Amino acid sequence: MSDPMSRRLFLARSGAVTAATAATAVMAAPARAASANRTVIRVPEVAVRQAAVTDPTEATLAEAVTLLRTGKLTSVKLVQAYLDRINTYGSVYQAFVTVTGDQALAEAKKADERRTGELSGVPLCIKDNYFTAGIRTTANSFIFDKFVPDYDATGVARLKKAGGIVLGKGQMGPLATTRATTPAGVITTVNAWTPTNPSIDPGGSSTGPACAVAGRMATSSIGTQTGGSIVLPSNQQNLTGLKPTMGRTSIYGIVPLSFTRDHSGPLARDAMDAAIMLSVLAGPDPHDPRTLGLPKLPDLIRAATPDLRKGKPRLRRATRIGIPADYLTGVSAGMLTIRKQFLDTMGAIPGAKLVDVSYPDDWGLLTGVFNDARLSERTEPFRPWLQQDLKLFGVSLLTWLGGLMLSGDEWITAQRAKTHLLHEVLDGLLNKCDVILQTNVVPFDILGLPEIGFPIGFSNGVPVGTILGGAPYEEDRLLEVVAAYQGATDWHWRRPADPPKPTTASLRTLAAQRGRIDAETAAATSA
């Protein structure tokens, strides 16, 4: 059972969150440096696989840090290896909207001369809705097409303070609403596992950051989530994505989508990498009131370190894993097999207890009512542009117009539904289990509760993942479960094959296959 004090604090803060919705302002953001205050961590030295020694783009974040720290790899070599892959395959993957190669190499040379932090010399991909000083930040929109911030988002500032190197800006869904397309709806970024088939869903809206890591074009990345946009791309591309509890990480300096639902977090290669990234990102930020006064961040790196007995993993704490009734129903035969195998493996790990849980009778109504409230929240800061020119919103226009149509009383009803749903989850579901398997990310997104997506298999060559949700401020519990599972399986070690080297003819064929998402589809799949 989660800490009752943390539950009470979370309930109180959730009720007041709308009073602190000025954490980021798109129209008049102050020209000042974001806070880089954070907890200093120590990345553990890990055993490095031969594959990572042979090809540094294969390395996990922890492996890369170990290689750099021990002098077996230079940052210049690591950055150049990623740039070589981007130069070779970037036109196929289209994972980046901007690549800062010269700047990254210059920073790598400095890192090789003097290590400055726990991520010193490690190249990272940043989703293109994070402000980056001196680097174009478009949020993949017509509105911000020429925007160059003069300060870094807090998350970027903290990664750079830790020595991380910005390799480029990851492509994303237009204004963070759907999978990565052009602002007009033409499909761009592909799934790294099926690069020649753009119709395979790569997950959105953090599509580019996911593809960059999966396609071995960055060591790790950061994205944002309002409706599944960290965990879903991770599931689709064989990564481990961690959306923390609301307030664990700052959203200052991020182009907003929904003030009560926007989260920032890592898309990484495994539980350890996600723990390292979140440990750097987390902490109080005076520019974002949601981050202040929270319980102390637990030791995420310890949580992500498999607890082995005689070489086999076990959970650090006995943990009840809730299985909702729809987890094994309404899915294809192939998916059913994969999920059953996952449950068999998870249930065999010492300390894990699988328990059946049921949703409350009003579950569908509560999640549906409040989910609509996000539309008015995204409309409010963009009202000047809506009044100026509707064409600026491109393919995602309908969701902004939908926000204009939502009345004040409907928004209040949604907030009441949220409060009731919170009690249903904290005092109902999470009293019966410690973590819960999810088949729909909406409830935990609505409530600001932590969740983690991670790989559990493949279907027809495409990765399959699952999502665990947890109690407020218990990211460590989620990492403990995933680390134990990854200690018993090897899905997270698998990397996609390289696509054929592009030619003019092959790129022309791929361009013809990319297709376009229309406004109705964009609205239906919007975060």
Side-chain angles (χ1 to χ4, degrees), residues 386-409:
L386 285 165
Q387 294 171 335
Q388 175 186 337
D389 186 355
L390 293 179
K391 293 192 295 294
L392 290 171
F393 292 84
V395 72
S396 59
L397 173 63
L398 290 181
T399 64
W400 265 264
L401 292 180
L404 286 175
M405 305 303 171
L406 199 71
S407 66
D409 63 320

Side-chain angles (χ1 to χ4, degrees), residues 2 75 104 115 118 131 133 196 208 256 288 317 360 405 412 431 492 503:
S2 64
S75 179
R115 300 286 169 206
E118 54 270 28
F131 285 23
T196 58
D288 184 350
R317 292 175 285 179
M405 305 303 171
I412 293 296
N431 267 337
H492 59 292
T503 64

Side-chain angles (χ1 to χ4, degrees), residues 213-419:
V213 178
R216 301 186 359 252
M217 294 175 287
T219 307
S220 193
S221 66
I222 52 173
T224 58
Q225 175 160 319
T226 306
S229 296
I230 288 175
V231 295
L232 292 179
S234 296
N235 276 182
Q236 295 295 109
Q237 301 200 52
N238 211 54
L239 303 178
T240 301
L242 177 55
K243 183 201 79 92
T245 310
M246 180 178 290
R248 273 293 188 207
T249 57
S250 174
I251 61 167
Y252 179 76
I254 298 175
V255 178
L257 185 59
S258 169
F259 281 124
T260 63
R261 287 178 59 175
D262 285 350
H263 300 75
S264 61
L267 296 91
R269 290 183 174 164
D270 60 12
M272 176 58 74
D273 286 7
I276 294 169
M277 289 287 285
L278 184 56
S279 297
V280 173
L281 292 168
D285 175 12
H287 297 314
D288 184 350
R290 305 185 320 167
T291 67
L292 305 178
L294 302 188
K296 181 181 177 181
L297 185 74
D299 188 341
L300 302 183
I301 292 176
R302 180 177 183 273
T305 303
D307 185 15
L308 303 177
R309 175 166 292 185
K310 296 182 179 180
K312 295 185 177 181
R314 60 176 182 172
L315 287 177
R316 292 187 176 277
R317 292 175 285 179
T319 298
R320 299 166 299 167
I321 301 171
I323 309 170
D326 62 351
Y327 192 71
L328 297 177
T329 61
V331 296
S332 67
M335 180 66 76
L336 181 61
T337 298
I338 290 171
R339 287 185 175 181
K340 284 183 175 180
Q341 289 174 343
F342 161 71
L343 292 176
D344 288 344
T345 301
M346 196 73 247
I349 295 174
K353 181 180 181 182
L354 306 182
V355 297
D356 293 327
V357 295
S358 300
Y359 298 130
D361 292 338
D362 51 3
W363 184 257
L365 175 63
L366 291 174
T367 57
V369 167
F370 185 72
N371 197 33
D372 288 340
R374 78 198 193 283
L375 299 179
S376 58
E377 291 182 10
R378 72 181 53 174
T379 297
E380 182 268 331
F382 286 89
R383 191 177 296 272
W385 289 284
L386 285 165
Q387 294 171 335
Q388 175 186 337
D389 186 355
L390 293 179
K391 293 192 295 294
L392 290 171
F393 292 84
V395 72
S396 59
L397 173 63
L398 290 181
T399 64
W400 265 264
L401 292 180
L404 286 175
M405 305 303 171
L406 199 71
S407 66
D409 63 320
E410 288 177 299
W411 192 85
I412 293 296
T413 298
Q415 301 307 315
R416 292 172 59 194
K418 174 189 176 181
T419 301

